[in-house]
Amino acid sequence: MEHGVSSFNQFIYELSVDSDTSSVDYSSAEEDSDRNIYPASPSSQSSRVSGASTYTKYDRHRTGWIRCIFFWILLPAKFLMGIPVYLYRFLFNTVSKAPALSGSHQHSGLHSIKRVFTLRDQIVHRTTDRRRGVIEDLHLAIEIFIEAIFDVVHKAAHFILSPSEAFRILFRWVSYYIGRTKENHGNVVEVSVTTDTLGENDPAPTEQNMTFYQSLNTDARTCQDVITELGYPYEAIRVVTADGYVLLLERIPRRDARKAVYLQHGVFDSSMGWVSNGVVGSPAFAAFDQGYDVFLGNFRGLVSREHADKNISSRRYWQYSINEHGTKDIPAMIEKIHEVKTSELKLSQPSLQEESDDQPYKLCAICHSLGGAAILMYVITQRKEEKPHRLSRLILLSPAGFHQDSTFVFTVVEYFFLMFGPFLAPFVPAFYIPTRFFRMLLNKLARDFNNYPAVGGLVQTLMSYVVGGDSSNWIGVLGLPHYNMNDMPGVSFHLALHLAQMKHTGKFRMYDYGSASANMEVYGSPEPLDLSEYYRLIDIPVDLVAGQKDKVIRPSMVRKHYKVMKNSGVDVSYNEFEYAHLDFTFSHREELLTYVMSRLLLVEPTPKQPSSQKALRLKKKGL
């Protein structure tokens, strides 16, 4: 107690002074001048706080009952007046925002339409200036909804009593829509910005059209946005698989480079993982800066469900396993890389026309988790079918394939899929978030976890317990742009069942179709193909990397890959880092980038061949 004011009341007073609404002043100019000359004393502050406390004490209960009664009275109106409210707010917002969006192209008569900002408008505006969380959004939405109902009732009564004014406003709206020449769609704003591109001969700034998304405090950037915003070149290549799936193969192009790298993501991931750490800590940018032509692969399994058959059902789209990743997706993307690189190099270097080698470049692959298992399946199946795999080296970061050494939670999931898989498959085709609203909600929650360290730390701890102590930054990953409202990677039910089959059998094998006859039709044997028995077919160097803190794919499982390859005569190396599972792609690890780049440099680019037969003869004679 100080000067007759308790510490609690003093705290409440200081909190009210520091709040956002403290800048709204009800007093006149004379009162302001008097206040500046005669500052308030502690006793006067005490009296004001006491008066406020008295009002709260006696009127809070009554106000709560009044608000509750009004809420239940207005509840039926929420359903009856939903359509008029939506139409009114749509038209009103369009007219009120039109001058700010279209600039000088607006009709001069529309400038007379101005919104009168009340005290409520100022408070809402100041509140929405700050970063909002989900709870704040819901609270604000309820308040705006109640205010909108009263506003609609008030304006409807006004228009009924003044029909001439209603017709005048309606005519003004119709004239605006007829005379408008340019529309702004949703929350998308297109502008021109000055950028320059790294690695180009001419570093002069150039104008580039950029698209900015105002997406309700969510990050809706794509991999293209991340790459171009950092000044790197970008190219998107559409690839169609043999079974009609449309894949996005993204590229940071060096068209004249004779060495290329193909990066393939893992489960619940996309190409965004290879560029998410920016220029300094991303493998894709590091490889490009070392002179590589960089290709970023994307597996099938995005919410957008791109397919050659536009009418494909959700059940048919998600009906795939790891088999299709290794025998359909990767072959289609690598053949597209071969087609693009060969044509570009022969066009820019005419001397290549005389070379007998049909692959004038070297291609290495860096794969994480599920991508590692799929690339091994690709190499083995291509060699079994006596087809070229185009690769010169594999760098596998915590590759999937062997899973019997795992946590208790994964064991429970394994038996759940094996027991209920045949019954759930027709009803649950995949695990993904189908609606845009819930994808936005997940993105906002993840961003809120980062803004509230206590809540984020709790969720992080719970996730680490679920996966058995994995120290990966799970919350940070959920907040990355590729988990946004527009699109999001998913996992098919059969892919999850395939992983459960691998864990149950302790073998790295292809998908079991459930019966000997079905397997015989696909594989020519009653049992699925055990890929580890064919490691002897791998004819390129393989670098295996494990994480000591990785509880999703333990180091013992990566070492099993190493032992089987070593016994099969494969040129294989093994290394461990003190990482968790997601650290390989979503964390800035300088030592990992240095190691990966050192392995890539072991592959020398294809040397340029002499352009004339005379030069070839001189070279054979040793002159």
Side-chain angles (χ1 to χ4, degrees):
M1 186 76 68
E2 183 179 359
H3 300 292
V5 182
S6 67
S7 58
F8 178 77
N9 284 338
Q10 183 68 21
F11 169 74
I12 295 298
Y13 174 75
E14 293 174 355
L15 184 64
S16 63
V17 170
D18 293 336
S19 64
D20 286 354
T21 58
S22 61
S23 60
V24 181
D25 198 354
Y26 296 90
S27 61
S28 62
E30 295 179 359
E31 292 175 346
D32 290 339
S33 61
D34 292 341
R35 187 181 297 112
N36 294 332
I37 297 175
Y38 302 103
S41 63
S43 60
S44 62
Q45 296 177 6
S46 172
S47 62
R48 286 197 298 268
V49 174
S50 301
S53 302
T54 303
Y55 174 81
T56 303
K57 177 179 180 181
Y58 290 106
D59 293 352
R60 181 184 301 170
H61 186 70
R62 184 181 60 183
T63 305
W65 276 106
I66 293 176
R67 293 180 63 182
C68 182
I69 292 172
F70 270 98
F71 173 78
W72 286 107
I73 292 176
L74 292 175
L75 187 60
K78 174 181 178 181
F79 300 96
L80 296 177
M81 304 182 64
I83 297 177
V85 169
Y86 174 78
L87 294 176
Y88 165 75
R89 292 182 65 183
F90 173 75
L91 296 175
F92 185 78
N93 290 337
T94 303
V95 175
S96 61
K97 293 180 181 179
L101 292 175
S102 55
S104 59
H105 297 283
Q106 298 290 338
H107 193 274
S108 60
L110 294 177
H111 289 285
S112 61
I113 305 176
K114 297 182 179 179
R115 185 175 181 180
V116 180
F117 287 94
T118 62
L119 174 62
R120 174 181 60 83
D121 299 323
Q122 297 181 27
I123 295 175
V124 170
H125 176 70
R126 292 181 62 84
T127 303
T128 55
D129 281 344
R130 300 174 299 174
R131 244 224 49 84
R132 303 195 311 268
V134 176
I135 303 301
E136 288 84 352
D137 282 345
L138 293 175
H139 181 230
L140 184 61
I142 292 174
E143 292 184 353
I144 292 177
F145 173 74
I146 295 175
E147 291 288 341
I149 290 180
F150 281 104
D151 201 18
V152 167
V153 173
H154 175 267
K155 289 190 176 296
H158 178 70
F159 287 159
I160 292 175
L161 298 176
S162 302
S164 59
E165 183 176 354
F167 283 112
R168 184 168 60 253
I169 294 176
L170 181 61
F171 176 76
R172 193 179 303 160
W173 285 345
V174 173
S175 301
Y176 165 70
Y177 279 109
I178 294 176
R180 188 170 62 174
T181 58
K182 181 179 180 180
E183 294 186 4
N184 291 283
H185 298 278
N187 293 322
V188 180
V189 180
E190 295 185 358
V191 298
S192 295
V193 297
T194 303
T195 62
D196 54 359
T197 301
L198 298 177
E200 296 292 337
N201 296 327
D202 184 12
T206 57
E207 291 291 331
Q208 182 178 2
N209 291 328
M210 303 288 289
T211 303
F212 295 93
Y213 301 89
Q214 303 170 3
S215 51
L216 303 176
N217 283 328
T218 61
D219 194 346
R221 291 177 298 165
T222 62
C223 187
Q224 175 182 357
D225 296 328
V226 174
I227 294 174
T228 55
E229 285 171 7
L230 294 174
Y232 285 82
Y234 175 84
E235 180 182 349
I237 303 173
R238 297 287 175 176
V239 179
V240 181
T241 65
D243 51 354
Y245 286 78
V246 181
L247 310 178
L248 177 61
L249 179 64
E250 299 178 278
R251 183 186 185 190
I252 310 177
R254 280 190 184 273
R255 305 186 190 283
D256 58 344
R258 304 192 69 172
K259 52 183 182 178
V261 60
Y262 165 70
L263 297 100
Q264 185 56 58
H265 63 79
V267 68
F268 273 125
D269 198 2
S270 71
S271 58
M272 181 70 74
W274 302 110
V275 299
S276 59
N277 291 319
V279 175
V280 177
S282 299
F285 296 134
F288 181 85
D289 293 338
Q290 290 293 328
Y292 284 84
D293 194 355
V294 180
F295 292 87
L296 308 174
N298 285 282
F299 282 142
R300 66 182 70 185
L302 291 175
V303 178
S304 54
R305 298 208 305 259
E306 293 189 72
H307 196 275
D309 181 6
K310 301 300 181 181
N311 298 321
I312 187 172
S313 63
S314 176
R315 180 179 176 182
R316 278 187 54 207
Y317 177 87
W318 294 103
Q319 197 167 4
Y320 64 85
S321 65
I322 305 177
N323 284 18
E324 282 67 28
H325 286 330
T327 62
K328 297 290 195 304
D329 294 350
I330 292 181
M333 288 187 282
I334 288 184
E335 285 305 312
K336 176 60 71 171
I337 292 173
H338 177 69
E339 175 187 339
V340 170
K341 286 298 297 179
T342 302
S343 61
E344 289 179 349
L345 288 174
K346 289 185 177 181
L347 184 63
S348 61
Q349 303 176 22
S351 60
L352 295 178
Q353 300 289 345
E354 302 178 4
E355 294 186 10
S356 59
D357 188 6
D358 65 339
Q359 185 171 332
Y361 64 95
K362 296 290 186 181
L363 178 63
C364 300
I366 303 174
C367 305
H368 176 238
S369 190
L370 180 67
I375 200 76
L376 288 173
M377 183 184 295
Y378 162 73
V379 172
I380 292 171
T381 54
Q382 291 289 108
R383 291 276 291 148
K384 278 181 60 65
E385 298 174 3
E386 298 182 350
K387 296 179 181 179
H389 54 68
R390 314 288 184 189
L391 297 170
S392 299
R393 195 177 194 94
L394 295 180
I395 302 174
L396 308 182
L397 310 177
S398 190
F402 296 111
H403 301 277
Q404 65 266 31
D405 182 12
S406 61
T407 64
F408 174 75
V409 174
F410 288 154
T411 303
V412 172
V413 173
E414 166 202 346
Y415 283 100
F416 174 82
F417 274 98
L418 294 176
M419 292 177 60
F420 300 102
F423 306 102
L424 293 178
F427 305 100
V428 185
F431 303 97
Y432 65 101
I433 302 178
T435 63
R436 190 170 183 265
F437 171 77
F438 286 105
R439 292 196 296 270
M440 177 196 69
L441 187 63
L442 176 63
N443 187 270
K444 287 179 68 64
L445 283 173
R447 290 164 66 85
D448 291 344
F449 290 152
N450 286 326
N451 292 328
Y452 301 111
V455 181
L458 176 61
V459 176
Q460 180 72 31
T461 303
L462 293 176
M463 285 298 300
S464 66
Y465 276 119
V466 169
V467 297
D470 194 329
S471 58
S472 301
N473 185 15
W474 298 90
I475 300 303
V477 171
L478 287 177
L480 289 174
H482 65 326
Y483 292 101
N484 58 64
M485 67 172 68
N486 296 322
D487 211 345
M488 186 174 289
V491 172
S492 76
F493 187 90
H494 293 281
L495 190 150
L497 181 59
H498 192 176
L499 291 173
Q501 292 174 359
M502 289 181 180
K503 185 179 183 313
H504 183 70
T505 59
K507 298 179 181 180
F508 178 28
R509 66 177 194 172
M510 302 186 77
Y511 184 74
D512 187 353
Y513 288 93
S515 64
S517 59
N519 290 330
M520 182 67 71
E521 183 179 352
V522 177
Y523 306 115
S525 64
E527 291 291 328
L529 188 69
D530 188 347
L531 297 171
S532 61
E533 294 181 356
Y534 294 89
Y535 274 0
R536 65 181 184 277
L537 298 178
I538 301 176
D539 58 346
I540 55 176
V542 179
D543 300 299
L544 299 173
V545 183
Q548 296 176 1
K549 296 182 179 179
D550 191 344
K551 298 301 187 295
V552 177
I553 300 177
R554 296 181 184 270
S556 59
M557 298 294 92
V558 183
R559 284 196 296 269
K560 187 171 183 179
H561 280 289
Y562 173 76
K563 292 176 182 178
V564 178
M565 289 184 184
K566 196 71 174 178
N567 295 333
S568 302
V570 180
D571 182 7
V572 60
S573 67
Y574 175 82
N575 207 336
E576 285 186 9
F577 291 92
E578 197 176 354
Y579 297 166
H581 191 67
L582 299 182
D583 291 336
F584 289 104
T585 52
F586 296 112
S587 297
H588 175 208
R589 305 286 183 171
E590 190 65 33
E591 57 180 349
L592 176 64
L593 287 179
T594 303
Y595 174 78
V596 171
M597 290 301 107
S598 67
R599 310 314 289 181
L600 285 180
L601 293 175
L602 294 177
V603 179
E604 295 293 334
T606 304
K608 296 182 179 180
Q609 302 292 331
S611 58
S612 63
Q613 295 296 331
K614 181 178 180 181
L616 289 174
R617 288 194 299 269
L618 291 176
K619 184 177 180 181
K620 290 179 180 179
K621 293 179 180 179
L623 299 178

